[in-house]
Structures are given as structure tokens and as C-alpha cells.
Amino acid sequence: MSKYNYNRRRSSVARAGNVEIGGDNPIRVQSMCNTNTNDTDASAAQSLRIAEAGGELVRLTTQGVKEASNMANIKKALLEAGCDVPLVADVHFNPNAAFEAAATCDKVRINPGNFVDAARTFKKLEFTDDEYSRELEKIRSKFVPFLNICKEHQTCVRLGVNHGSLSDRIMSRYGDTPAGMVESVMEFLRIAREEDFDNIVISVKASNVTVMVETVRLLVETMEKEGMQFPLHLGVTEAGDGEDGRIKSAVGIGTLLGDGIGDTIRVSLSEDPEAEIPVAVKLRDYIASRSGHDPIPEPAAVLPGKSREYASPFHCDEFPVMDLDFTLQPDWHYTTTAMEPSLYDDLKPVVLTTSADNRPGAFRSWIDRFVALGGKNPVIIMMGFLTTNLEELQIEAAADFGPLLLDGYASGIGIVASEKFTKEEVNSVALGILQAARIRISKTEYIACPGCGRTLFDLQKTLADVKAHTGHLKGLKIGVMGCIVNGPGEMADADYGYVGAGPGRVSIYKGKTLVRKNIPADEALQALLNLIKEDGKR
């Protein structure tokens, strides 16, 4: 794979029902129901809406054996309606549910962080090498029988690691790190290879886009070193809704798709599941349009690590700069496809534009060559977008600027967009991209899950209420989570958290600390606001 010229990573092929994932197959798009899996009619109806919107796989939560068993009834109802979309069971904490699902579903997602290991407690645990080895044998004792059922029924497996649900065992040795997430899945992959089972898709997700991108890249490197080419499922967990959810997802997923990584994607939005599909399709197709682009020069020498060491005058608290009106008036303005980089004695900014089909690759090439020559000028990247659709602008701009910001290539960005957009709309998109890349915080960030059958309160309404009362708090991170599966873990770096604890019950967190436990849902918002107020942040 090249970071300058777009080519898809060649993976092995997994098969879920009638859908192949990886290899030369198209990048598949999918979503997840938020219905009660025991409600056959509601689950089948929502699955149909997802499929009709273009979803190629549909996932449902299976908390227990009863839910896993009912997946067969949902499948039957779909087939009677003329829909053969593959169904995926989502299992946490319950190997028995995974065993049942392996016999009734096209694909089963298990979480290596809680398939055998106890739920994450954030407690520091110590393991000797012998103790650690014994824990791995426990995994084998549960995982191998599960794989045998999957072999018998030709069931696909997704090993889905989430940043928010790493086990205390992994945390004790690797910490809350990308390396820990990668090792969590590699433990299972090594067993699967020993058992000659390869019908596997892998995901490693996080709500923090920088962590998610770093982890997936590390996983690809690690698999390659161990001779593995499994297909990858991409997603940013708890991305939220509206503009923020779309931009955050496009920065993370778009960066990796642009690297050539990814075989199936889910855009996780705190909205109706079928609303995720058009966003995923637009993002997938936008990146795929880079295929067959004119070759971009591959620099002969690239400095290690981040490509840019930012220099004054733009290294400040509000950096990187955002220039929507082109008011900087720099002395040098280059089109990457027409000009070779050269050096200057002062540190005035260089503004780059390009007409290349693969714009991130063209910018990377020019800047890497510039830095290799000794260039230190701040670089402002300007890109224009022809679309008149706001959602498309959010997706396209995030997918193009995201990789450059995450990899340290830009001292500033500028968006040139249609006059049909207001200045405020374009400004919001630019600030949203900078915030998703976590390099300029200008508003409250919401870490909000999309909801599923485990969610026992109205998540969309709750998120809207929380936003309405806290949207003015610049710089805070607030988690709104449907249940405990990823809740406390995925929002571990959030300032405050609102987490579903049971039917009509919510727990309130300050950081990782549980402050109010199992309070009535109709009291929870005020409890959250009171806590924020007590801390002097309102």
C-alpha cells in the first residue's frame, strides 16, 4: 500500500450468507437494528428498511440464548418478504449466546474483550507469565468449540474489538493503547489459524478517531508480519448524530479507505439505522472515485514520524488556522501537480491546491518532498468542492482533509464551496473536521452510541436534550451511552457520562468515576446538569 497512490489492500475473502467480504468484492455497507431482538415483526421490518436503503448486512444484538434463537424467526420473516440479507448476531459477555447464534445466523460478532474475560473494571491487575498463559487457555477452551459450530454451519465470524471494552487482563499488560487493542484480537486470530478457520472479518474501533486510525494501521502491519490478510470492518464507535457524526465517521473511515484499507463499513449514527446507509455509500463511492488516478510522484526519501513540524507564526492555541475567505495572502501559492517544491529563507506560509483525483496523496507527496529538502514553512491546504448538498460537503471535505490533519501535514485548511452554502455552514464543517481530528477544539464533543436492542431509553431524544442544555460548553466531552457494553470504557476520556443501567434507569459518571447509580431516567438529565454546574463549567 502507498500513502500517495490509491490502491485497495488485497485481503482474503470471508462469506456471510450470500455476501462475500474482501478480496476483489465491493466494499460492503451495513447497519444495526435498534429493536428488541425478541420482537420478530419489528426486527424484520427494520431489517427490511435497512436492506431497501442499500444495506448489505444487518446486525442485531443477542444478549442471550433466547435472542440468538429468535434470529432464525427474523430470518424466516425476511425470506418470506423476499429479502435474503445476511443477519449478524452481536454477542457480548455470553459465549452460550454465541454458540446458539453460530447455528442460526449468517455471521456472529464476538468481542475478544469480554467473550471469556470478565467485564472491564478499570482496576490495575497483575498477571505473571504463567497466569497470563492460563487465561489464554481459558479463551481457547471457549473459542475452539465456537469455531467448530461455525465450521459446521459455514458461519462467518467477526472479531470486534472496541477501545471501550478491553479486558483488565489486556489493560494490565498493554494499557489502554492501540497495541492492547491489536493484541486482544491477535490472541483469537492465532487460535483460529491453528484451528484452520479463516472465515473471519476483523474490526478494531474507537470513538477517538486518532486512536481508531492508528489501531487499524497497526493491526494491518501486525497481521502482515504474521502472514494474515483477513478482511477488515471499519467504523468509528459512538460518533453521535447530525453533522458531527457524519464528519467524525468520514475523517476516520475515509482516512483508512484512502489508505486502501477496509472491506466493509458501518457509519454509526445516533439516528434511525437506515439513515446510516446513504452516508456510508456516499463515503465509499467518493473514495472509490480515486481508482485509476494518474500516478503521483513517490518521494525518494521521507523523514520518519510526523511529516510536519509546525513553525510560527501559526503555532498557537488556535492552530491550525482555518481560512475560508483566503485572507492570508501568502507569498507562495502552488498547485501540487504543476510545481516542484523549493526552499525559502523566511517562514511565510505556502498555500497548496491540487487538481489531482487523489488529492490527499498529491498533497502528501509535495509536502514530503518539501520537508525532505529542508522546508519548514507552514503549509495551508486549500480544497474546493463542487457539490451543492451539505451532507456531501461534510463527507467529502472530512474524507479529504482528515488524513492530512491526522498525519500532521497541514498548518491550516481552507474550504472553497458553492455559494449556495452560507459562510456559517462552511465554517461549521471546517471546525468539525478540525475537532474530529482532535487538533482544534471549538465546541462540546458528544460521544454517543447509535443504540441497539440493549438500549432501554429513547437515546435519540435523550441526546437531543443533552445537546440542547450543554451545546454552549466549549471544550467539554460528554458521553451518552445506551448500555454498559462500551459505555464507561468508550467514554473513558470524557468529562461526563450518561449511561443506561437498566429499564428506565441511568447512571451518571464524572470521568471514569460513577457518581449517581441507577437513578430514574426522568431524573438523569438534571442530575448530569447539576454535576456540571457543581464543577463550575456552566
PDB file of all heavy atoms in Angstrom, residues 184-215:
ATOM      1  N   SER A 184      -5.411  -7.896  21.639  1.00  0.00           N
ATOM      2  CA  SER A 184      -6.671  -8.506  22.034  1.00  0.00           C
ATOM      3  C   SER A 184      -7.260  -9.342  20.903  1.00  0.00           C
ATOM      4  O   SER A 184      -7.772 -10.446  21.123  1.00  0.00           O
ATOM      5  CB  SER A 184      -7.663  -7.422  22.466  1.00  0.00           C
ATOM      6  OG  SER A 184      -8.866  -7.978  22.933  1.00  0.00           O
ATOM      7  N   VAL A 185      -7.168  -8.847  19.683  1.00  0.00           N
ATOM      8  CA  VAL A 185      -7.711  -9.610  18.548  1.00  0.00           C
ATOM      9  C   VAL A 185      -6.718 -10.654  18.052  1.00  0.00           C
ATOM     10  O   VAL A 185      -7.107 -11.747  17.606  1.00  0.00           O
ATOM     11  CB  VAL A 185      -8.146  -8.664  17.409  1.00  0.00           C
ATOM     12  CG1 VAL A 185      -6.965  -8.095  16.655  1.00  0.00           C
ATOM     13  CG2 VAL A 185      -9.076  -9.377  16.440  1.00  0.00           C
ATOM     14  N   MET A 186      -5.417 -10.357  18.129  1.00  0.00           N
ATOM     15  CA  MET A 186      -4.422 -11.310  17.627  1.00  0.00           C
ATOM     16  C   MET A 186      -4.436 -12.600  18.432  1.00  0.00           C
ATOM     17  O   MET A 186      -4.167 -13.678  17.885  1.00  0.00           O
ATOM     18  CB  MET A 186      -3.029 -10.683  17.648  1.00  0.00           C
ATOM     19  CG  MET A 186      -2.817  -9.560  16.640  1.00  0.00           C
ATOM     20  SD  MET A 186      -3.127 -10.023  14.909  1.00  0.00           S
ATOM     21  CE  MET A 186      -1.865 -11.277  14.661  1.00  0.00           C
ATOM     22  N   GLU A 187      -4.735 -12.531  19.730  1.00  0.00           N
ATOM     23  CA  GLU A 187      -4.843 -13.749  20.535  1.00  0.00           C
ATOM     24  C   GLU A 187      -5.845 -14.720  19.924  1.00  0.00           C
ATOM     25  O   GLU A 187      -5.612 -15.923  19.840  1.00  0.00           O
ATOM     26  CB  GLU A 187      -5.260 -13.403  21.964  1.00  0.00           C
ATOM     27  CG  GLU A 187      -4.221 -12.651  22.767  1.00  0.00           C
ATOM     28  CD  GLU A 187      -4.737 -12.254  24.147  1.00  0.00           C
ATOM     29  OE1 GLU A 187      -5.963 -12.352  24.378  1.00  0.00           O
ATOM     30  OE2 GLU A 187      -3.917 -11.839  24.980  1.00  0.00           O
ATOM     31  N   PHE A 188      -6.976 -14.193  19.488  1.00  0.00           N
ATOM     32  CA  PHE A 188      -8.025 -15.021  18.898  1.00  0.00           C
ATOM     33  C   PHE A 188      -7.648 -15.468  17.479  1.00  0.00           C
ATOM     34  O   PHE A 188      -7.943 -16.599  17.081  1.00  0.00           O
ATOM     35  CB  PHE A 188      -9.349 -14.257  18.880  1.00  0.00           C
ATOM     36  CG  PHE A 188     -10.041 -14.215  20.215  1.00  0.00           C
ATOM     37  CD1 PHE A 188      -9.542 -13.472  21.276  1.00  0.00           C
ATOM     38  CD2 PHE A 188     -11.213 -14.921  20.417  1.00  0.00           C
ATOM     39  CE1 PHE A 188     -10.177 -13.435  22.502  1.00  0.00           C
ATOM     40  CE2 PHE A 188     -11.868 -14.892  21.644  1.00  0.00           C
ATOM     41  CZ  PHE A 188     -11.342 -14.152  22.693  1.00  0.00           C
ATOM     42  N   LEU A 189      -7.023 -14.591  16.724  1.00  0.00           N
ATOM     43  CA  LEU A 189      -6.645 -14.941  15.354  1.00  0.00           C
ATOM     44  C   LEU A 189      -5.627 -16.079  15.328  1.00  0.00           C
ATOM     45  O   LEU A 189      -5.684 -16.957  14.457  1.00  0.00           O
ATOM     46  CB  LEU A 189      -6.081 -13.718  14.634  1.00  0.00           C
ATOM     47  CG  LEU A 189      -7.091 -12.668  14.176  1.00  0.00           C
ATOM     48  CD1 LEU A 189      -6.375 -11.508  13.501  1.00  0.00           C
ATOM     49  CD2 LEU A 189      -8.123 -13.274  13.238  1.00  0.00           C
ATOM     50  N   ARG A 190      -4.695 -16.062  16.254  1.00  0.00           N
ATOM     51  CA  ARG A 190      -3.687 -17.129  16.283  1.00  0.00           C
ATOM     52  C   ARG A 190      -4.343 -18.478  16.563  1.00  0.00           C
ATOM     53  O   ARG A 190      -3.966 -19.496  15.973  1.00  0.00           O
ATOM     54  CB  ARG A 190      -2.621 -16.800  17.313  1.00  0.00           C
ATOM     55  CG  ARG A 190      -1.782 -15.568  16.934  1.00  0.00           C
ATOM     56  CD  ARG A 190      -0.773 -15.200  18.005  1.00  0.00           C
ATOM     57  NE  ARG A 190      -0.158 -13.906  17.704  1.00  0.00           N
ATOM     58  CZ  ARG A 190      -0.175 -12.841  18.518  1.00  0.00           C
ATOM     59  NH1 ARG A 190      -0.776 -12.935  19.707  1.00  0.00           N
ATOM     60  NH2 ARG A 190       0.397 -11.714  18.162  1.00  0.00           N
ATOM     61  N   ILE A 191      -5.330 -18.484  17.449  1.00  0.00           N
ATOM     62  CA  ILE A 191      -6.057 -19.727  17.727  1.00  0.00           C
ATOM     63  C   ILE A 191      -6.834 -20.163  16.489  1.00  0.00           C
ATOM     64  O   ILE A 191      -6.841 -21.350  16.119  1.00  0.00           O
ATOM     65  CB  ILE A 191      -7.002 -19.546  18.932  1.00  0.00           C
ATOM     66  CG1 ILE A 191      -6.196 -19.283  20.215  1.00  0.00           C
ATOM     67  CG2 ILE A 191      -7.902 -20.770  19.109  1.00  0.00           C
ATOM     68  CD1 ILE A 191      -7.052 -18.889  21.404  1.00  0.00           C
ATOM     69  N   ALA A 192      -7.498 -19.198  15.833  1.00  0.00           N
ATOM     70  CA  ALA A 192      -8.279 -19.535  14.633  1.00  0.00           C
ATOM     71  C   ALA A 192      -7.381 -20.128  13.554  1.00  0.00           C
ATOM     72  O   ALA A 192      -7.779 -21.086  12.865  1.00  0.00           O
ATOM     73  CB  ALA A 192      -8.987 -18.285  14.115  1.00  0.00           C
ATOM     74  N   ARG A 193      -6.189 -19.576  13.395  1.00  0.00           N
ATOM     75  CA  ARG A 193      -5.278 -20.121  12.380  1.00  0.00           C
ATOM     76  C   ARG A 193      -4.846 -21.544  12.727  1.00  0.00           C
ATOM     77  O   ARG A 193      -4.780 -22.409  11.852  1.00  0.00           O
ATOM     78  CB  ARG A 193      -4.049 -19.214  12.242  1.00  0.00           C
ATOM     79  CG  ARG A 193      -3.065 -19.679  11.169  1.00  0.00           C
ATOM     80  CD  ARG A 193      -2.038 -18.631  10.843  1.00  0.00           C
ATOM     81  NE  ARG A 193      -1.268 -18.251  12.009  1.00  0.00           N
ATOM     82  CZ  ARG A 193      -0.312 -17.320  11.988  1.00  0.00           C
ATOM     83  NH1 ARG A 193      -0.047 -16.674  10.859  1.00  0.00           N
ATOM     84  NH2 ARG A 193       0.352 -17.022  13.082  1.00  0.00           N
ATOM     85  N   GLU A 194      -4.588 -21.766  14.009  1.00  0.00           N
ATOM     86  CA  GLU A 194      -4.214 -23.119  14.440  1.00  0.00           C
ATOM     87  C   GLU A 194      -5.354 -24.113  14.180  1.00  0.00           C
ATOM     88  O   GLU A 194      -5.102 -25.301  13.937  1.00  0.00           O
ATOM     89  CB  GLU A 194      -3.849 -23.108  15.923  1.00  0.00           C
ATOM     90  CG  GLU A 194      -2.550 -22.362  16.224  1.00  0.00           C
ATOM     91  CD  GLU A 194      -2.343 -22.141  17.714  1.00  0.00           C
ATOM     92  OE1 GLU A 194      -3.171 -22.643  18.506  1.00  0.00           O
ATOM     93  OE2 GLU A 194      -1.360 -21.473  18.088  1.00  0.00           O
ATOM     94  N   GLU A 195      -6.583 -23.627  14.237  1.00  0.00           N
ATOM     95  CA  GLU A 195      -7.753 -24.474  14.012  1.00  0.00           C
ATOM     96  C   GLU A 195      -8.188 -24.493  12.549  1.00  0.00           C
ATOM     97  O   GLU A 195      -9.239 -25.046  12.216  1.00  0.00           O
ATOM     98  CB  GLU A 195      -8.918 -24.000  14.887  1.00  0.00           C
ATOM     99  CG  GLU A 195      -8.654 -24.129  16.382  1.00  0.00           C
ATOM    100  CD  GLU A 195      -8.444 -25.568  16.812  1.00  0.00           C
ATOM    101  OE1 GLU A 195      -9.206 -26.436  16.335  1.00  0.00           O
ATOM    102  OE2 GLU A 195      -7.512 -25.821  17.605  1.00  0.00           O
ATOM    103  N   ASP A 196      -7.390 -23.865  11.686  1.00  0.00           N
ATOM    104  CA  ASP A 196      -7.666 -23.833  10.250  1.00  0.00           C
ATOM    105  C   ASP A 196      -9.040 -23.234   9.948  1.00  0.00           C
ATOM    106  O   ASP A 196      -9.791 -23.727   9.106  1.00  0.00           O
ATOM    107  CB  ASP A 196      -7.560 -25.244   9.657  1.00  0.00           C
ATOM    108  CG  ASP A 196      -7.467 -25.230   8.133  1.00  0.00           C
ATOM    109  OD1 ASP A 196      -6.940 -24.244   7.599  1.00  0.00           O
ATOM    110  OD2 ASP A 196      -7.917 -26.199   7.490  1.00  0.00           O
ATOM    111  N   PHE A 197      -9.352 -22.129  10.649  1.00  0.00           N
ATOM    112  CA  PHE A 197     -10.616 -21.417  10.419  1.00  0.00           C
ATOM    113  C   PHE A 197     -10.274 -20.023   9.920  1.00  0.00           C
ATOM    114  O   PHE A 197      -9.573 -19.261  10.597  1.00  0.00           O
ATOM    115  CB  PHE A 197     -11.427 -21.326  11.712  1.00  0.00           C
ATOM    116  CG  PHE A 197     -12.789 -20.708  11.521  1.00  0.00           C
ATOM    117  CD1 PHE A 197     -13.895 -21.504  11.241  1.00  0.00           C
ATOM    118  CD2 PHE A 197     -12.976 -19.332  11.589  1.00  0.00           C
ATOM    119  CE1 PHE A 197     -15.151 -20.943  11.037  1.00  0.00           C
ATOM    120  CE2 PHE A 197     -14.215 -18.756  11.397  1.00  0.00           C
ATOM    121  CZ  PHE A 197     -15.312 -19.573  11.118  1.00  0.00           C
ATOM    122  N   ASP A 198     -10.766 -19.683   8.725  1.00  0.00           N
ATOM    123  CA  ASP A 198     -10.395 -18.390   8.150  1.00  0.00           C
ATOM    124  C   ASP A 198     -11.587 -17.562   7.673  1.00  0.00           C
ATOM    125  O   ASP A 198     -11.406 -16.524   7.030  1.00  0.00           O
ATOM    126  CB  ASP A 198      -9.402 -18.571   7.003  1.00  0.00           C
ATOM    127  CG  ASP A 198      -9.955 -19.415   5.861  1.00  0.00           C
ATOM    128  OD1 ASP A 198     -11.135 -19.814   5.931  1.00  0.00           O
ATOM    129  OD2 ASP A 198      -9.207 -19.677   4.901  1.00  0.00           O
ATOM    130  N   ASN A 199     -12.810 -17.999   7.980  1.00  0.00           N
ATOM    131  CA  ASN A 199     -13.991 -17.228   7.577  1.00  0.00           C
ATOM    132  C   ASN A 199     -14.239 -16.129   8.612  1.00  0.00           C
ATOM    133  O   ASN A 199     -15.207 -16.154   9.376  1.00  0.00           O
ATOM    134  CB  ASN A 199     -15.209 -18.146   7.462  1.00  0.00           C
ATOM    135  CG  ASN A 199     -16.371 -17.485   6.732  1.00  0.00           C
ATOM    136  OD1 ASN A 199     -16.201 -16.483   6.033  1.00  0.00           O
ATOM    137  ND2 ASN A 199     -17.557 -18.042   6.895  1.00  0.00           N
ATOM    138  N   ILE A 200     -13.320 -15.155   8.629  1.00  0.00           N
ATOM    139  CA  ILE A 200     -13.259 -14.156   9.696  1.00  0.00           C
ATOM    140  C   ILE A 200     -13.144 -12.756   9.110  1.00  0.00           C
ATOM    141  O   ILE A 200     -12.424 -12.527   8.135  1.00  0.00           O
ATOM    142  CB  ILE A 200     -12.049 -14.421  10.622  1.00  0.00           C
ATOM    143  CG1 ILE A 200     -12.244 -15.728  11.400  1.00  0.00           C
ATOM    144  CG2 ILE A 200     -11.812 -13.257  11.585  1.00  0.00           C
ATOM    145  CD1 ILE A 200     -11.047 -16.103  12.256  1.00  0.00           C
ATOM    146  N   VAL A 201     -13.845 -11.830   9.729  1.00  0.00           N
ATOM    147  CA  VAL A 201     -13.711 -10.389   9.486  1.00  0.00           C
ATOM    148  C   VAL A 201     -13.307  -9.764  10.818  1.00  0.00           C
ATOM    149  O   VAL A 201     -13.723 -10.221  11.879  1.00  0.00           O
ATOM    150  CB  VAL A 201     -15.036  -9.775   8.988  1.00  0.00           C
ATOM    151  CG1 VAL A 201     -14.892  -8.276   8.753  1.00  0.00           C
ATOM    152  CG2 VAL A 201     -15.503 -10.479   7.718  1.00  0.00           C
ATOM    153  N   ILE A 202     -12.505  -8.710  10.765  1.00  0.00           N
ATOM    154  CA  ILE A 202     -11.991  -8.100  11.994  1.00  0.00           C
ATOM    155  C   ILE A 202     -12.361  -6.623  12.046  1.00  0.00           C
ATOM    156  O   ILE A 202     -12.336  -5.929  11.025  1.00  0.00           O
ATOM    157  CB  ILE A 202     -10.458  -8.199  12.071  1.00  0.00           C
ATOM    158  CG1 ILE A 202     -10.007  -9.642  11.894  1.00  0.00           C
ATOM    159  CG2 ILE A 202      -9.938  -7.657  13.395  1.00  0.00           C
ATOM    160  CD1 ILE A 202      -8.533  -9.754  11.603  1.00  0.00           C
ATOM    161  N   SER A 203     -12.693  -6.153  13.240  1.00  0.00           N
ATOM    162  CA  SER A 203     -12.843  -4.711  13.457  1.00  0.00           C
ATOM    163  C   SER A 203     -12.121  -4.318  14.737  1.00  0.00           C
ATOM    164  O   SER A 203     -12.111  -5.073  15.705  1.00  0.00           O
ATOM    165  CB  SER A 203     -14.319  -4.304  13.549  1.00  0.00           C
ATOM    166  OG  SER A 203     -14.925  -4.859  14.700  1.00  0.00           O
ATOM    167  N   VAL A 204     -11.501  -3.161  14.709  1.00  0.00           N
ATOM    168  CA  VAL A 204     -10.943  -2.550  15.921  1.00  0.00           C
ATOM    169  C   VAL A 204     -11.405  -1.097  15.910  1.00  0.00           C
ATOM    170  O   VAL A 204     -10.988  -0.302  15.085  1.00  0.00           O
ATOM    171  CB  VAL A 204      -9.400  -2.650  15.987  1.00  0.00           C
ATOM    172  CG1 VAL A 204      -8.956  -4.041  16.378  1.00  0.00           C
ATOM    173  CG2 VAL A 204      -8.757  -2.256  14.671  1.00  0.00           C
ATOM    174  N   LYS A 205     -12.318  -0.766  16.817  1.00  0.00           N
ATOM    175  CA  LYS A 205     -12.998   0.527  16.764  1.00  0.00           C
ATOM    176  C   LYS A 205     -12.751   1.354  18.024  1.00  0.00           C
ATOM    177  O   LYS A 205     -12.463   0.815  19.093  1.00  0.00           O
ATOM    178  CB  LYS A 205     -14.504   0.336  16.593  1.00  0.00           C
ATOM    179  CG  LYS A 205     -14.914  -0.346  15.296  1.00  0.00           C
ATOM    180  CD  LYS A 205     -16.428  -0.358  15.167  1.00  0.00           C
ATOM    181  CE  LYS A 205     -16.900  -1.024  13.903  1.00  0.00           C
ATOM    182  NZ  LYS A 205     -18.370  -0.988  13.753  1.00  0.00           N
ATOM    183  N   ALA A 206     -12.907   2.664  17.867  1.00  0.00           N
ATOM    184  CA  ALA A 206     -12.819   3.590  18.995  1.00  0.00           C
ATOM    185  C   ALA A 206     -13.660   4.812  18.668  1.00  0.00           C
ATOM    186  O   ALA A 206     -13.919   5.119  17.505  1.00  0.00           O
ATOM    187  CB  ALA A 206     -11.372   3.994  19.267  1.00  0.00           C
ATOM    188  N   SER A 207     -14.080   5.533  19.697  1.00  0.00           N
ATOM    189  CA  SER A 207     -14.790   6.795  19.474  1.00  0.00           C
ATOM    190  C   SER A 207     -13.814   7.916  19.187  1.00  0.00           C
ATOM    191  O   SER A 207     -14.180   8.933  18.596  1.00  0.00           O
ATOM    192  CB  SER A 207     -15.653   7.141  20.690  1.00  0.00           C
ATOM    193  OG  SER A 207     -14.855   7.282  21.843  1.00  0.00           O
ATOM    194  N   ASN A 208     -12.566   7.755  19.610  1.00  0.00           N
ATOM    195  CA  ASN A 208     -11.497   8.709  19.320  1.00  0.00           C
ATOM    196  C   ASN A 208     -10.938   8.355  17.946  1.00  0.00           C
ATOM    197  O   ASN A 208     -10.348   7.297  17.753  1.00  0.00           O
ATOM    198  CB  ASN A 208     -10.416   8.602  20.402  1.00  0.00           C
ATOM    199  CG  ASN A 208      -9.283   9.594  20.211  1.00  0.00           C
ATOM    200  OD1 ASN A 208      -8.847   9.844  19.095  1.00  0.00           O
ATOM    201  ND2 ASN A 208      -8.799  10.139  21.307  1.00  0.00           N
ATOM    202  N   VAL A 209     -11.116   9.250  16.985  1.00  0.00           N
ATOM    203  CA  VAL A 209     -10.741   8.950  15.604  1.00  0.00           C
ATOM    204  C   VAL A 209      -9.245   8.684  15.478  1.00  0.00           C
ATOM    205  O   VAL A 209      -8.822   7.778  14.731  1.00  0.00           O
ATOM    206  CB  VAL A 209     -11.168  10.105  14.670  1.00  0.00           C
ATOM    207  CG1 VAL A 209     -10.631   9.892  13.268  1.00  0.00           C
ATOM    208  CG2 VAL A 209     -12.686  10.220  14.628  1.00  0.00           C
ATOM    209  N   THR A 210      -8.418   9.443  16.161  1.00  0.00           N
ATOM    210  CA  THR A 210      -6.975   9.240  16.053  1.00  0.00           C
ATOM    211  C   THR A 210      -6.581   7.858  16.556  1.00  0.00           C
ATOM    212  O   THR A 210      -5.725   7.190  15.968  1.00  0.00           O
ATOM    213  CB  THR A 210      -6.202  10.323  16.828  1.00  0.00           C
ATOM    214  OG1 THR A 210      -6.578  10.289  18.210  1.00  0.00           O
ATOM    215  CG2 THR A 210      -6.499  11.705  16.286  1.00  0.00           C
ATOM    216  N   VAL A 211      -7.210   7.410  17.645  1.00  0.00           N
ATOM    217  CA  VAL A 211      -6.933   6.069  18.172  1.00  0.00           C
ATOM    218  C   VAL A 211      -7.399   5.007  17.188  1.00  0.00           C
ATOM    219  O   VAL A 211      -6.708   4.018  16.925  1.00  0.00           O
ATOM    220  CB  VAL A 211      -7.617   5.874  19.540  1.00  0.00           C
ATOM    221  CG1 VAL A 211      -7.521   4.418  20.002  1.00  0.00           C
ATOM    222  CG2 VAL A 211      -6.984   6.795  20.586  1.00  0.00           C
ATOM    223  N   MET A 212      -8.589   5.203  16.633  1.00  0.00           N
ATOM    224  CA  MET A 212      -9.138   4.224  15.689  1.00  0.00           C
ATOM    225  C   MET A 212      -8.230   4.055  14.476  1.00  0.00           C
ATOM    226  O   MET A 212      -7.899   2.928  14.069  1.00  0.00           O
ATOM    227  CB  MET A 212     -10.542   4.667  15.277  1.00  0.00           C
ATOM    228  CG  MET A 212     -11.196   3.831  14.189  1.00  0.00           C
ATOM    229  SD  MET A 212     -10.977   4.645  12.580  1.00  0.00           S
ATOM    230  CE  MET A 212     -12.180   3.813  11.579  1.00  0.00           C
ATOM    231  N   VAL A 213      -7.785   5.155  13.885  1.00  0.00           N
ATOM    232  CA  VAL A 213      -6.945   5.079  12.689  1.00  0.00           C
ATOM    233  C   VAL A 213      -5.592   4.453  13.015  1.00  0.00           C
ATOM    234  O   VAL A 213      -5.105   3.565  12.295  1.00  0.00           O
ATOM    235  CB  VAL A 213      -6.764   6.479  12.069  1.00  0.00           C
ATOM    236  CG1 VAL A 213      -5.686   6.463  10.979  1.00  0.00           C
ATOM    237  CG2 VAL A 213      -8.093   6.968  11.487  1.00  0.00           C
ATOM    238  N   GLU A 214      -4.982   4.886  14.093  1.00  0.00           N
ATOM    239  CA  GLU A 214      -3.688   4.328  14.480  1.00  0.00           C
ATOM    240  C   GLU A 214      -3.786   2.830  14.726  1.00  0.00           C
ATOM    241  O   GLU A 214      -2.904   2.050  14.339  1.00  0.00           O
ATOM    242  CB  GLU A 214      -3.161   5.035  15.731  1.00  0.00           C
ATOM    243  CG  GLU A 214      -1.807   4.533  16.199  1.00  0.00           C
ATOM    244  CD  GLU A 214      -1.315   5.206  17.468  1.00  0.00           C
ATOM    245  OE1 GLU A 214      -1.943   6.198  17.905  1.00  0.00           O
ATOM    246  OE2 GLU A 214      -0.308   4.734  18.033  1.00  0.00           O
ATOM    247  N   THR A 215      -4.870   2.406  15.383  1.00  0.00           N
ATOM    248  CA  THR A 215      -5.026   0.992  15.729  1.00  0.00           C
ATOM    249  C   THR A 215      -5.217   0.124  14.497  1.00  0.00           C
ATOM    250  O   THR A 215      -4.619  -0.952  14.377  1.00  0.00           O
ATOM    251  CB  THR A 215      -6.202   0.809  16.695  1.00  0.00           C
ATOM    252  OG1 THR A 215      -6.005   1.637  17.843  1.00  0.00           O
ATOM    253  CG2 THR A 215      -6.296  -0.628  17.157  1.00  0.00           C
TER     254      THR A 215
END
